[in-house]
Amino acid sequence: MESIKKTLGGAKSGWDKLDKKKQITMISSIIAIVVIVSAIGYYLNKVDYALLFKDLELSDAGLIVSDLESNRISYKLENNGRNILIDKRKVDEYRLQLAMNGMMPESSTGFEIFDDTGMMVTEEDRQIMYQRALTGELQRSIMSLDAVESAKVHLVMPERSIFQTEDKKASASIILAIKPSQNVTPDMINGIVSLVSGAVDNLPKENVQVIDTKGNLLSGFLAENESKTTTDIVSRHQSIREDFERKIESKVKELLGSSFGWDKVNVSVLADLDFDSEEKTSITYSNAVPRSQQIEASGDNIDIQQVTGGNIDDNISNVIEGVEGADSNYRSIINNEISSETTYTIQAPGKIRRLTTSVVYKGNLSDENLIKMQNIVAAATGYDGDRGDIISVESINLSGLVDDVDESLVGEGEELVEEGIKRYLPIILRVAGGLALILIVFLTVKNLRKKKKADNQFQEQLALGSTVEETLSEIEESFDIEVQRDQKGETAKKYAAENPGLVADLIRSWIKDQG
């Protein structure tokens, strides 16, 4: 604290030692330095605002302002918030940033384009400006729909010339970006096409094409409806009739099935529909009221009161004989005011000419239930006797058809089977027994021949001096016997090999005993 006081005291003493002129010079220098620094700071921090976007929709302007605030970029608003201005040095950079983020506003110019026209605008310039303005207004109108996020309209308007014999039709193409939560309906597309066709001169609906951002044609069904042939119309009428019949069948079956059983009721409906469109005009006249009356009478000795009091129709001249024989003329004209009523009646196609309903019930129906079923069908189908409607209800008992088979035929068939068995069974048994005996004899003879052949072959082998092992092998092959080798068998073979003469004698004696 003391150092501060010493410093301030030294500065004050030094200031007091300066003369008046030096003090003024020093104060002026300090003020000049402050002013220069402030000017430099103001100049460096000064924002030169330039137009970023003009004539924006309020929704687009709100999005841009929100993004500017988030990026801490200073801005100014003009034209009730539709014009946005930012630092001139940041305009291009910020526009590129918006384009990269997909936030560029879909701005379109409408008829306000004529607000800035000057005196030197040519007729061709006006035509171009008019087309641009009309395109912009159509884009705004289409984008005002709830389901449309953005729209682009292209108009082709041919030039008119006095030398043309036929007017060329205009055409239009529309690109729609639909909001993700919305669906495109045929009615919406038809409405957009009608809007554009009605706003542009000489533009028929068939010359308006609508696509989405994926390139799908959305207005194709309009051309299909206009190019339908007679066959297509008949097919469509047939489809309408079948759909109507199915709905009636479903309604009747639902009512009857819940009461009489779903699996017991079958319903069929045949509808005769009138697809002719009729238009009638009926005029009815009534309540004739006299509007004016004109009476003329001429001749001698005529009593006007007596003449006018007679029963005389309109527009009729009467001749009345006077008292002295002079001819007299009388004319009465009455103009009547007649009330009229005109009624226009347009009959839409699809009128029901006649409806035929058939119901089949699986089972027996009492008369009471039959009447109830007919009443239910009549109420569900809107039965009209004057129209010629028919309701047919039939009950069919399928189990009764099986029970009605003639039992006498069954009994007669059983008797024929029994008689046939009694007559032919002995013959069948004899034939079967004979065949079995022949088969047994055949097999016995075959086995004996085979055995005798094997013995002869064995004797021949022995006579030729074949070994016992070879002979046994041939016997096994001839009889197809599978010989299992065991220890005892091996011992017997070894003995036979050592004593072949003894083994041969044993085999001969065994064959003789078997023979």
Side-chain angles (χ1 to χ4, degrees), residues 458 462 468 492 494-510:
F458 183 75
L462 291 176
V468 177
K494 184 176 181 181
Y495 181 79
E498 295 175 352
N499 303 289
L502 181 59
V503 173
D505 294 337
L506 288 175
I507 292 174
R508 287 193 190 96
S509 61
W510 177 75

Side-chain angles (χ1 to χ4, degrees), residues 456-510:
N456 294 333
Q457 290 179 355
F458 183 75
Q459 294 292 336
E460 293 176 357
Q461 292 293 334
L462 291 176
L464 295 173
S466 301
T467 62
V468 177
E469 188 174 359
E470 293 175 353
T471 305
L472 290 175
S473 177
E474 292 178 359
I475 292 173
E476 290 175 2
E477 293 176 358
S478 62
F479 284 95
D480 297 330
I481 299 174
E482 182 180 358
V483 180
Q484 295 182 354
R485 307 291 182 181
D486 55 1
Q487 191 64 29
K488 293 181 180 181
E490 295 294 332
T491 304
K493 284 184 179 183
K494 184 176 181 181
Y495 181 79
E498 295 175 352
N499 303 289
L502 181 59
V503 173
D505 294 337
L506 288 175
I507 292 174
R508 287 193 190 96
S509 61
W510 177 75

Side-chain angles (χ1 to χ4, degrees), residues 72-88:
R72 296 181 179 179
I73 299 176
S74 59
Y75 63 90
K76 287 176 61 178
L77 298 178
E78 296 179 355
N79 190 20
N80 297 325
R82 295 182 180 274
N83 297 349
I84 300 178
L85 295 87
I86 65 172
D87 189 352
K88 183 178 181 180

Side-chain angles (χ1 to χ4, degrees), residues 265-279:
V265 177
N266 286 331
V267 181
S268 177
V269 176
L270 179 62
D272 184 9
L273 303 181
D274 184 7
F275 291 99
D276 295 334
S277 180
E278 296 182 1
E279 182 176 351

Side-chain angles (χ1 to χ4, degrees), residues 96-304:
L96 290 176
Q97 182 180 346
L98 290 178
M100 292 174 61
N101 297 331
M103 296 179 59
M104 289 293 290
E106 294 288 342
S107 59
S108 57
T109 305
F111 285 105
E112 65 271 10
I113 193 174
F114 289 100
D115 296 342
D116 299 330
T117 56
M119 298 295 294
M120 303 302 293
V121 177
T122 63
E123 184 63 26
E124 292 182 356
D125 295 336
R126 289 185 179 275
Q127 290 293 334
I128 296 173
M129 294 170 64
Y130 173 77
Q131 185 169 343
R132 287 184 57 192
L134 185 58
T135 301
E137 293 293 337
L138 288 175
Q139 288 181 187
R140 292 176 181 177
S141 300
I142 296 172
M143 291 173 60
S144 65
L145 300 177
D146 294 335
V148 179
E149 183 175 1
S150 62
K152 196 73 174 178
V153 179
H154 301 277
L155 294 179
V156 177
M157 304 173 67
E159 297 181 359
R160 295 182 178 181
S161 174
I162 59 174
F163 301 103
Q164 291 180 351
T165 57
E166 295 181 0
D167 291 338
K168 293 182 179 180
K169 305 293 184 182
S171 61
S173 299
I174 305 171
I175 303 175
L176 296 180
I178 307 300
K179 295 180 180 178
S181 60
Q182 300 292 334
N183 294 323
V184 180
T185 61
D187 292 337
M188 184 179 72
I189 300 301
N190 193 13
I192 293 175
V193 172
S194 300
L195 171 68
V196 176
S197 176
V200 180
D201 186 24
N202 201 16
L203 176 59
K205 289 185 177 181
E206 57 269 19
N207 286 8
V208 181
Q209 304 297 329
V210 182
I211 64 173
D212 60 8
T213 53
K214 297 180 180 179
N216 299 319
L217 182 63
L218 304 179
S219 59
F221 69 95
L222 297 175
E224 292 178 359
N225 292 337
E226 293 178 358
S227 62
K228 282 187 175 180
T229 61
T230 305
T231 305
D232 297 330
I233 295 174
V234 172
S235 299
R236 180 172 177 271
H237 290 172
Q238 182 74 10
S239 176
I240 293 174
R241 185 178 66 82
E242 292 176 354
D243 184 59
F244 175 76
E245 292 174 348
R246 281 194 297 268
K247 288 182 179 179
I248 298 296
E249 290 175 359
S250 176
K251 185 188 299 183
V252 174
K253 191 167 185 178
E254 184 177 356
L255 291 173
L256 297 180
S258 60
S259 303
F260 297 93
W262 293 97
D263 57 340
K264 293 185 177 182
V265 177
N266 286 331
V267 181
S268 177
V269 176
L270 179 62
D272 184 9
L273 303 181
D274 184 7
F275 291 99
D276 295 334
S277 180
E278 296 182 1
E279 182 176 351
K280 298 179 180 179
T281 303
S282 176
I283 303 176
T284 304
Y285 299 97
S286 61
N287 301 327
V289 179
R291 184 179 63 183
S292 61
Q293 183 177 8
Q294 180 180 358
I295 300 175
E296 297 179 359
S298 61
D300 298 334
N301 300 324
I302 293 179
D303 187 354
I304 299 299

